[in-house]
Amino acid sequence: MPDVDVIVVGAGPAGSCAAIVLARAGKKVVLIERGPFPGSKNMYGGVVYPRILDQLIPEWWLEAPIQRWVTRRSTMIMTDTKALTIDFRSQAWGAPPYNGATAYRPDFDAWLADHAVAAGAELICSTTVTGLLHDANGHVSGVVTDRPDGELTASVVIACDGVNSFLAKQEGLYGEFDAANYTLGVKETLALPKDVIDERFGVRGTDGVDIEIIGCTGGVNGGGFIYTNLDTIAVGLVLKLPKLAAQKQRPEQLIARLKAHPAIAPLVEGGEIKEYSAHLIPEAGISMLPTLAGNGILLAGDAAALCLAAGIWLEGVNFAMASGMYAGQAAAEAIRSKDTSVAGLAGYQRRLEATFVLKDHRKLRRAPELVLSDRVQHLYPEFATSVAERMFRVDNPEPKPGVRKIVAQERKRVGIRRRDLAKDGLAGLRSFG
Amino acid sequence: MIGVCLKWVDRRPEPAGVGGGPDQPDERFAGVSAADQAALEWALRQRDLAGGEIVAVTVGPAAADAVLRDALAAGADRAVRVDRPFGAPSRTVADDLATVFAEATTVWCGDYSFDRGTGSVPAFVAAALGIGQALGLVAIDVDVAGIGALRRLDGGRRERLAITGRAVLSVEGGTALLRRAPLRGLLAKPVIDVVVPAQRIDAAHPADARPFRPRPRAFAPPAGSTALDRIRTLTAAGATVAHGETVTLDPPAAAERILSALREWGYI
Ligand SMILES: Cc1cc2nc3c(=O)[nH]c(=O)nc-3n(C[C@H](O)[C@H](O)[C@H](O)COP(=O)(O)OP(=O)(O)OC[C@H]3O[C@@H](n4cnc5c(N)ncnc54)[C@H](O)[C@@H]3O)c2cc1C
């Protein structure tokens, strides 16, 4: 008899949601976290899209540790001196059931893990899982931890240990490691008085802003973001690893460059750096997906590379919560039917395929490559901002040129081939359309 | 019985209960200091060598149970929480601890807590129990026959102690690293006895919640007819620097002379 029904490794959003489901299903579940408390080691940009929580914690917005509700979403395309912003605002997003929210991970993850504990899960912190145990048939049968007497057996292990999952690698569930599949996310948290943030970002009360930026990463392919919390703002970059290494650029220098941009400097001026953090992101979407289930083991969240990073979307927490929840359901089902082999755990893949988790990934499968391509990163920002500049420039006594003429001239000047523009347009339509 | 005192403290840079900090600890950042961890480790080593029952005690609210769960997981035999709100005065905490440790042969404490404690609780516990005290230990040698220790004194001096009778010992954090609790220890269901003291002292002592201010002392106004003279008197600016005096006196008279000099100079 195993010690417990399920061991969940990692108390991030994926792990806690898996543990909530399992504990509520009456399973004996142990949630093991290497940090001193859930969320203590975790970072992200700052926006959670918690719609999936409706299924786990009804009216979660009444109790979740939220900083601000995102009511304003901007996409900024920039060059060194120009910026073109598409700005969207909806007050509907500032009222239940809400859309997105900014939250600090040490608050959010700890709150979610509290729900797992309240449901009956056993949370063990400051404990690192160092490996997997296998039975005579080679099925995963438990974990080894860094504690004395540190082995624990279970019918199913759910690896929610985040990006670069050592457990998934140990089990051979990933193919060849390719650095091009990952980006490095770096972030500064800057403290500013709440009223200053409200004024600079044009919001009131607990309304918040999410700005995604393209063209702000120098020669390195990637993107940027700014999110508002109550009295801090998060300013960060997502940087393609091979390019970053090749360019020999320091990420903190690239953030400093972004903060000095004329469109950004007035927003961040006077902010006191409270925190600098960095973390990998599995960025390649469906093309880097590992095998999601093995005998006695499931992967969820970033451990399964289920993070949607597609330019205007950087969604990982919601995918982690959902995949964790479905992994929990599939594990409970497999234990009930006394078959925790790959076949017994097939309910997991089925659930992911039937929902946004894999549907969005499949739909947006071309997006990561497109968004991080050299043209989108280095040519299109110059092209788009130049077109805008010329459209809004008044060249009297010259008459206004037509938009078509401006587009054609700027395309040529920037050096974009018509064929490439059409190809990328089509790829964009296929991905986002 | 071997007693261990564990204080549930806020381990943030601006701890709760200290001037400028929040009122209550954040449970996520709360725990015991390195000194208290060392105290528990010494208790475990003493028990492993000489036998006995380790009773870990904390005085605090229900959230403080976390430190007792960790102590049990690491190997303590019994855990007791005296139920009080966070921030009870040192004297009250010491009296609470003493009621649990009435039978203890040795009581281990950290030398001072993380939230800028004064280190007075161990001395109060010793006084309440009427037993010996060895405070501020920087090195310890636990043996079946007894405990040898090195105590920090002022001016970089050390005092070597042989502890044989009942005593309260307070240790510095660097003396020992608490062993890692085994996984099974963490998974075991902990049993914590909760003692509700007869006389409750509510919330923090108001004096404890304010920023640290040195005790006021009354001085006579400086002599002088003009403001400048008074400032000169007050600051002793321009006065001949007084050199120390050398006196030869017998010990009681010497002690008296030292005290009167300290009084004169405003130290006491
Ligand atoms: C810079 C950056 C910006 C981002 N911005 C956003 C955003 O704005 N919105 C969004 O939705 N997503 C964002 N993401 C993605 C998001 O952070 C992740 O997709 C999400 O955190 C994944 O959750 P998870 O539970 O799978 O993994 P994690 O959150 O990484 O949690 C893994 C947990 O496992 C623990 N762990 C790891 N190994 C072990 C071990 N061996 N033993 C025990 N415990 C272990 C860790 O300590 C951690 O608690 C961003 C990511 C980065 C890096």
Side-chain angles (χ1 to χ4, degrees):
Chain A
M1 270 295 279
D3 296 317
V4 294
D5 293 319
V6 181
I7 298 166
V8 180
V9 183
S16 287
C17 287
I20 290 173
V21 169
L22 284 157
R24 286 187 189 159
K27 301 292 167 237
K28 198 167 174 205
V29 52
V30 173
L31 178 58
I32 302 180
E33 167 58 42
R34 66 181 168 173
F37 64 86
S40 56
K41 296 186 83 74
N42 301 345
M43 69 82 77
Y44 76 147
V47 181
V48 188
Y49 300 95
R51 184 77 307 112
I52 193 70
L53 276 183
D54 295 349
Q55 297 180 30
L56 281 182
I57 305 166
E59 300 202 324
W60 49 268
W61 53 83
L62 297 176
E63 47 164 298
I66 295 305
Q67 289 283 314
R68 288 182 189 253
W69 303 103
V70 175
T71 53
R72 197 177 153 199
R73 243 198 110 138
S74 306
T75 302
M76 199 183 264
I77 302 164
M78 64 164 60
T79 66
D80 285 351
T81 54
K82 290 176 281 191
L84 168 67
T85 307
I86 299 160
D87 190 17
F88 175 75
R89 186 190 279 263
S90 167
Q91 282 316 115
W93 288 353
Y98 300 101
N99 181 49
T102 56
Y104 294 131
R105 290 294 296 275
D107 294 345
F108 189 79
D109 291 14
W111 166 75
L112 214 47
D114 278 350
H115 272 276
V117 172
E122 186 88 46
L123 172 66
I124 304 285
C125 289
S126 301
T127 304
T128 303
V129 170
T130 53
L132 293 166
L133 292 171
H134 293 89
D135 65 15
N137 303 318
H139 288 204
V140 172
S141 60
V143 299
V144 185
T145 69
D146 64 344
R147 292 213 169 252
D149 176 26
E151 294 187 357
L152 193 68
T153 56
S155 303
V156 180
V157 172
I158 306 183
C160 301
D161 50 339
V163 61
N164 210 12
S165 161
F166 288 113
L167 299 186
K169 284 186 191 167
Q170 187 195 335
E171 201 49 21
L173 298 172
Y174 270 95
E176 275 290 290
F177 178 83
D178 182 357
N181 287 338
Y182 298 87
T183 50
L184 177 70
V186 288
K187 180 179 92 163
E188 279 182 11
T189 306
L190 307 174
L192 281 170
K194 180 183 180 298
D195 51 342
V196 172
I197 295 177
D198 286 353
E199 198 175 313
R200 288 186 188 176
F201 288 85
V203 284
R204 293 280 176 275
T206 51
D207 287 355
V209 180
D210 163 343
I211 307 176
E212 309 288 341
I213 311 166
I214 289 184
C216 59
T217 45
V220 182
N221 298 21
F225 56 82
I226 299 182
Y227 304 132
T228 56
N229 298 306
L230 274 180
D231 54 8
T232 65
I233 54 175
V235 183
L237 295 172
V238 169
L239 303 162
K240 199 155 174 145
L241 275 183
K243 278 270 186 181
L244 185 65
Q247 299 260 335
K248 297 202 174 357
Q249 300 240 40
R250 303 279 321 159
E252 66 274 16
Q253 283 168 349
L254 291 171
I255 292 196
R257 198 168 163 274
L258 171 64
K259 288 197 302 182
H261 190 281
I264 306 298
L267 300 177
V268 302
E269 204 169 60
E272 184 198 340
I273 299 185
K274 284 285 177 193
E275 184 186 284
Y276 175 85
S277 50
H279 204 279
L280 286 181
I281 306 176
E283 183 97 18
I286 202 102
S287 68
M288 70 178 293
L289 217 63
T291 308
L292 295 168
N295 291 312
I297 186 169
L298 293 173
L299 308 183
D302 274 11
L306 288 169
C307 179
L308 186 79
I312 47 174
W313 291 290
L314 177 47
E315 297 177 25
V317 173
N318 49 334
F319 281 82
M321 291 190 293
S323 56
M325 182 176 90
Y326 296 134
Q329 290 171 356
E333 192 177 77
I335 291 167
R336 260 195 310 275
S337 60
K338 296 194 169 50
D339 178 7
T340 57
S341 68
V342 185
L345 292 166
Y348 180 45
Q349 179 99 20
R350 247 193 340 265
R351 286 175 169 85
L352 297 184
E353 295 283 2
T355 58
F356 76 98
V357 180
L358 282 180
K359 282 197 161 131
D360 283 358
H361 270 287
R362 287 202 196 289
K363 184 171 173 49
L364 291 163
R365 67 187 179 281
R366 289 190 189 86
E369 200 190 329
L370 176 69
V371 172
L372 291 175
S373 70
D374 284 340
R375 276 194 298 277
V376 170
Q377 291 283 316
H378 308 302
L379 298 184
Y380 294 162
E382 174 61 26
F383 173 55
T385 53
S386 301
V387 168
E389 185 180 25
R390 286 196 52 197
M391 274 176 63
F392 299 131
R393 197 166 69 202
V394 180
D395 276 335
N396 300 161
E398 294 294 319
K400 293 197 189 308
V403 175
R404 252 192 308 170
K405 191 168 165 196
I406 295 176
V407 168
Q409 283 174 348
E410 288 306 316
R411 184 187 58 72
K412 225 183 246 159
R413 187 186 66 76
V414 175
I416 302 168
R417 290 188 303 185
R418 206 178 283 144
R419 189 158 29 111
D420 290 335
L421 191 60
K423 200 170 94 190
D424 293 339
L426 197 67
L429 248 155
R430 277 210 196 119
S431 293
F432 303 110
Chain B
M1 177 207 284
I2 302 168
V4 188
C5 308
L6 299 171
K7 183 178 180 186
W8 181 69
V9 281
D10 198 339
R11 293 186 290 191
R12 287 175 293 179
E14 293 288 328
V18 176
D23 290 343
Q24 292 295 321
D26 181 326
E27 285 177 37
R28 291 171 300 171
F29 300 97
V32 295
S33 65
D36 284 10
Q37 287 182 357
L40 175 57
E41 177 59 30
W42 283 114
L44 292 165
R45 288 184 196 177
Q46 185 186 13
R47 189 220 27 213
D48 293 350
L49 257 170
E53 182 199 37
I54 296 178
V55 181
V57 183
T58 194
V59 177
D65 281 351
V67 303
L68 297 177
R69 280 197 293 273
D70 289 347
L72 289 169
D77 301 295
R78 209 148 63 75
V80 178
R81 177 169 60 83
V82 182
D83 188 47
R84 287 226 185 254
F86 171 73
S90 302
R91 189 62 189 261
T92 311
V93 170
D95 289 346
D96 288 342
L97 291 167
T99 53
V100 184
F101 293 140
E103 304 294 316
T105 47
T106 316
V107 177
W108 295 91
C109 310
D111 60 348
Y112 53 85
S113 63
F114 192 78
D115 48 355
R116 294 177 217 162
T118 57
S120 57
V121 166
F124 279 136
V125 174
L129 290 171
I131 63 176
Q133 61 180 38
L135 310 183
L137 304 181
V138 292
I140 296 127
D141 183 18
V142 174
D143 204 307
V144 197
I147 299 167
L150 201 61
R151 189 163 99 88
R152 185 192 292 282
L153 297 179
D154 287 348
R157 292 172 196 213
R158 298 284 185 270
E159 181 181 36
R160 193 165 291 286
L161 304 170
I163 300 149
T164 46
R166 294 179 69 205
V168 176
L169 314 181
S170 82
V171 302
E172 290 202 356
T175 53
L177 191 65
L178 177 61
R179 64 195 64 182
R180 227 161 135 56
L183 189 61
R184 305 277 155 189
L186 288 167
L187 287 168
K189 289 272 163 275
V191 179
I192 295 168
D193 298 331
V194 178
V195 176
V196 179
Q199 201 200 343
R200 295 192 60 101
I201 308 253
D202 282 333
H205 194 280
D208 290 345
R210 281 188 311 215
F212 174 71
R213 303 248 190 282
R215 232 172 279 153
R217 274 183 282 127
F219 288 102
S225 53
T226 66
L228 188 60
D229 285 344
R230 286 194 292 277
I231 285 177
R232 279 204 185 108
T233 318
L234 196 63
T235 59
T240 328
V241 180
H243 293 288
E245 60 176 312
T246 307
V247 291
T248 311
L249 296 168
D250 59 44
E256 200 44 57
R257 180 71 195 93
I258 291 169
L259 287 175
S260 73
L262 289 175
R263 236 173 260 126
E264 210 173 292
W265 296 335
Y267 286 112
I268 54 175

